[in-house]
Amino acid sequence: MAAQFKADRDYAFALDRDDQLHQFIQRFYKLPDTIYMDGNSLGLLSRDSEASLLRILDEWKNLGINGWMNADIPWFYYTEKLAAMQASLMGAQANEVIVTASTTVNLHSLVRTFFRPREGKDKILMDELNFPSDIYAVKAILKNSGLDPDTHLVLVPSADGRMLDESTIIGHMRDDVMLAIFPAVLYRSGQLLNIRQLTAAAHDKDIMIGFDCSHSAGAVPHTFDADGIDFAFWCNYKYMNNGPGGTASLYINQQQLPAHPALAGWWGYDKQHQFDMDLEFHPSETAGAFQTGTPHLLSTAPLEGSLKLYEEAGIHNLRKKSLRLTSYLIYLMDMILPESKSGFHIGSPRENEKRGGHVALEHEEALRINEALKHRRVLPDFRFPNVIRLAPVPLYTSFIEVRDTVNHLKEIIESAEYRNYSKKRGDVA
Ligand SMILES: *Cc1c(COP(=O)(O)O)cnc(C)c1O
């Protein structure tokens, strides 16, 4: 798969020279003298996002409450406007997407709305590698509905603790499952699931299916409508570069609209009549119905600049570069730090069509190697107990940075430099 590369450093410069997207790096605030490989946890700030955020601040300064109707993009329609821009990245119609709340809150809202247990169809299907927050949310919802999570939440097992097998998932889609929720890209291994296959199988069994796209939004071009999924939700502060805790998004398939959201609030009201202040709730016919209160404009504004960047660069071009960056990284690990000599195991799928935007490197000394990398001003991401995730982000990571990261790893392993670091874990890892 990766034989098209060479391992020498000059070759990395050549890859950067040929990279059509290379100039986008200038649009970002790169950390000084640092190789940033953590864009799958918190994307970097672009000048474009800074500008859209500063514009909203300026509008607040100069317009006060009139910003709701008189701002450049009137604040009243801001989240719908951004949703329309984001829809194309997800293969969706504008009215099927809304920018709102946080990932976990949106999951609560979607499950509360769409999980309608009935006799003989009262289970939710997820997987044992799922992001813990998603599991906490679903268990809490079941408990609140008087259902025992031990019997009503079914977790598909993983054979190797890294990946999920689509046929195993489908085997668990039994008649008593009402709702299935899976990650599009697994947060640890970076495995990209076959969304279309899972959706077809779920619908065969009359199961509703939704996807957590936190690790795929902005990294993988989606085709939600064509795949026929029922809903999706994702955070925007990873590949979408919307800033720490930035507002999230959700998608609801046309077929499920209009919907009556469980977490109803006045911001989900039909926009033409929201200010009638009627005590009867008339939700918007769009995914916008899933908004509750006044949108967090200051946590949403950076997304505007970011979406313009995506429009300019093109999600398909970005995906192409991302796959080149990650397959180059895997190639270099194989050439320079093969498992037999280094103890590193590639914990991500090697097939391009099964990989999201990052590469998981497993090592029994991962924690201390991670510390040594940080000391050398490479910012990776550690997942307990043994995974270093490296995300070369196509908008702002160069091939030479990937090459130099592997060289840092080589020096850390060869000199056993990691032994200088403590095995104690920090609070955020
Ligand atoms: C990052 C991430 C989240 C984050 O949830 P928040 O509510 O934004 O904190 C949820 N699910 C997955 C799979 C993630 O990767």
Side-chain angles (χ1 to χ4, degrees):
M1 161 214 84
Q4 74 269 32
F5 298 112
K6 293 179 193 157
D8 59 283
R9 200 158 181 271
D10 282 344
Y11 185 75
F13 283 115
L15 287 173
D16 282 325
R17 239 186 346 262
D18 293 342
D19 171 21
Q20 308 279 322
L21 299 175
H22 193 70
Q23 81 277 10
F24 282 96
I25 295 175
Q26 309 305 322
R27 304 275 279 272
F28 283 83
Y29 288 99
K30 301 270 286 182
L31 309 195
D33 308 317
T34 301
I35 299 179
Y36 196 74
M37 287 287 171
D38 209 358
N40 60 333
S41 277
L42 178 63
L44 291 180
L45 173 66
S46 65
R47 292 169 204 281
D48 303 67
S49 288
E50 179 185 49
S52 52
L53 174 59
L54 289 177
R55 194 196 70 236
I56 298 270
L57 276 177
D58 224 48
E59 290 167 345
W60 178 21
K61 201 188 286 174
N62 295 308
L63 298 172
I65 195 153
N66 289 327
W68 288 104
M69 287 320 272
N70 298 344
D72 185 18
I73 300 172
W75 302 342
F76 188 58
Y77 303 107
Y78 195 63
T79 51
E80 279 85 3
K81 168 89 181 169
L82 297 199
M85 291 169 75
Q86 193 166 38
S88 64
L89 303 181
M90 317 312 277
Q93 309 289 318
N95 67 342
E96 294 172 313
V97 176
I98 193 65
V99 179
T100 186
S102 75
T103 322
T104 309
V105 169
N106 287 339
L107 172 60
H108 273 279
S109 172
L110 290 161
V111 174
R112 280 210 166 272
T113 304
F114 292 123
F115 180 55
R116 296 188 200 95
R118 53 183 195 269
E119 187 68 32
K121 209 160 182 66
D122 55 6
K123 295 202 161 81
I124 298 181
L125 185 65
M126 296 174 81
D127 68 272
E128 66 172 13
L129 301 181
N130 215 306
F131 196 75
S133 189
D134 294 23
I135 302 283
Y136 305 156
V138 169
K139 282 187 175 172
I141 292 166
L142 287 169
K143 269 191 217 157
N144 260 289
S145 319
L147 299 173
D148 182 358
D150 287 343
T151 47
H152 291 269
L153 175 61
V154 179
L155 297 182
V156 177
S158 158
D160 63 358
R162 301 181 181 102
M163 321 278 183
L164 295 172
D165 181 37
E166 278 90 354
S167 57
T168 307
I169 296 177
I170 292 168
H172 280 77
M173 291 180 175
R174 293 193 257 272
D175 290 328
D176 59 355
V177 174
M178 195 268 139
L179 175 64
I181 305 161
F182 290 96
V185 167
L186 277 64
Y187 78 99
R188 240 174 218 283
S189 66
Q191 179 192 4
L192 170 62
L193 290 176
N194 187 328
I195 293 176
R196 189 165 296 192
Q197 185 191 2
L198 294 178
T199 302
H203 288 171
D204 261 2
K205 291 274 184 171
D206 193 25
I207 296 169
M208 209 172 178
I209 189 162
F211 289 88
D212 183 335
C213 297
S214 294
H215 272 277
S216 60
V220 176
H222 277 298
T223 50
F224 288 164
D225 283 348
D227 295 341
I229 69 170
D230 294 296
F231 63 83
F233 54 100
W234 60 92
C235 68
N236 284 317
Y237 51 74
K238 291 171 182 164
Y239 295 99
M240 290 305 313
N241 305 321
N242 186 29
T247 311
S249 298
L250 59 81
Y251 158 91
I252 296 165
N253 191 300
Q254 201 89 256
Q255 314 257 351
Q256 306 298 340
L257 293 170
H260 219 284
L263 303 192
W266 76 314
W267 221 269
Y269 208 93
D270 167 24
K271 283 198 104 67
Q272 262 85 59
H273 297 287
Q274 180 177 337
F275 279 83
D276 292 358
M277 300 308 224
D278 189 352
L279 293 189
E280 202 57 51
F281 180 54
H282 298 288
S284 159
E285 298 199 337
T286 73
F290 283 71
Q291 297 175 100
T292 46
T294 311
H296 307 152
L297 278 234
L298 298 183
S299 299
T300 307
L303 187 60
E304 183 194 335
S306 180
L307 285 166
K308 286 180 181 155
L309 265 177
Y310 267 90
E311 238 169 55
E312 220 182 299
I315 182 73
H316 291 280
N317 298 331
L318 288 166
R319 172 64 170 161
K320 226 165 121 190
K321 178 175 172 187
S322 161
L323 285 174
R324 241 170 123 59
L325 284 162
T326 51
S327 49
Y328 179 51
L329 172 55
I330 293 171
Y331 166 84
L332 290 173
M333 290 301 294
D334 287 345
M335 297 301 290
I336 297 171
L337 290 166
E339 183 162 359
S340 55
K341 280 203 232 148
S342 69
F344 275 115
H345 177 82
I346 306 289
S348 298
R350 285 170 175 272
E351 307 92 315
N352 277 355
E353 66 282 2
K354 289 191 177 179
R355 195 170 63 246
H358 73 264
V359 174
L361 303 180
E362 298 172 10
H363 197 287
E364 62 176 12
E365 285 291 352
L367 191 152
R368 295 204 284 178
I369 295 168
N370 192 70
E371 286 307 303
L373 272 178
K374 284 196 280 190
H375 195 77
R376 286 166 169 262
R377 302 190 74 97
V378 178
L379 263 184
D381 172 288
F382 173 70
R383 280 292 169 262
F384 187 77
N386 67 337
V387 177
I388 295 171
R389 297 185 305 182
L390 297 177
V393 175
L395 274 170
Y396 53 74
T397 309
S398 63
F399 288 90
I400 192 67
E401 288 179 310
V402 172
R403 177 66 180 71
D404 287 349
T405 297
V406 174
N407 201 56
H408 281 298
L409 284 171
K410 175 177 182 278
E411 290 176 10
I412 289 166
I413 294 292
E414 280 179 359
S415 64
E417 181 181 310
Y418 60 84
R419 292 209 188 117
N420 301 334
Y421 296 88
S422 152
K423 290 191 174 187
K424 214 170 145 277
R425 181 157 58 114
D427 285 340
V428 178

